[in-house]
Amino acid sequence: MTEIIFIIEESPEGGYEARALGHSIFTEGETIEELKANIKEAVHCHFEKDIPKIIRLHYIKEEVIAA
């Protein structure tokens, strides 16, 4: 595997949440920088061998506006 993709969303409690597509990896962080560090750590823990060379982050921002 050369790449893994994470979906990044703002947490309702504050901070950010990340979940990997196709793998059971979930992590969170108070800031984007903390989240990135936690994602790297989670990927290294999940894959003992064949660690993906690229971690791709897809940011999702939900916004509600009045009609």
Side-chain angles (χ1 to χ4, degrees), residues 19-57:
R19 60 184 163 84
L21 296 180
H23 301 280
S24 58
I25 305 173
F26 178 86
T27 190
E28 56 191 3
E30 290 297 316
T31 66
I32 291 293
E33 291 306 315
E34 181 182 341
L35 180 67
K36 288 178 182 179
N38 291 346
I39 288 171
K40 285 182 180 181
E41 182 180 342
V43 168
H44 284 272
C45 287
H46 186 79
F47 296 98
E48 294 179 7
K49 297 179 182 177
D50 298 325
I51 296 171
K53 304 243 184 276
I54 297 173
I55 300 172
R56 191 173 303 272
L57 307 178

Side-chain angles (χ1 to χ4, degrees), residues 3 8 11 15 21 40 53 58-59 64:
E3 179 176 285
I8 310 298
S11 175
L21 296 180
K40 285 182 180 181
K53 304 243 184 276
H58 287 271
Y59 293 88
V64 178

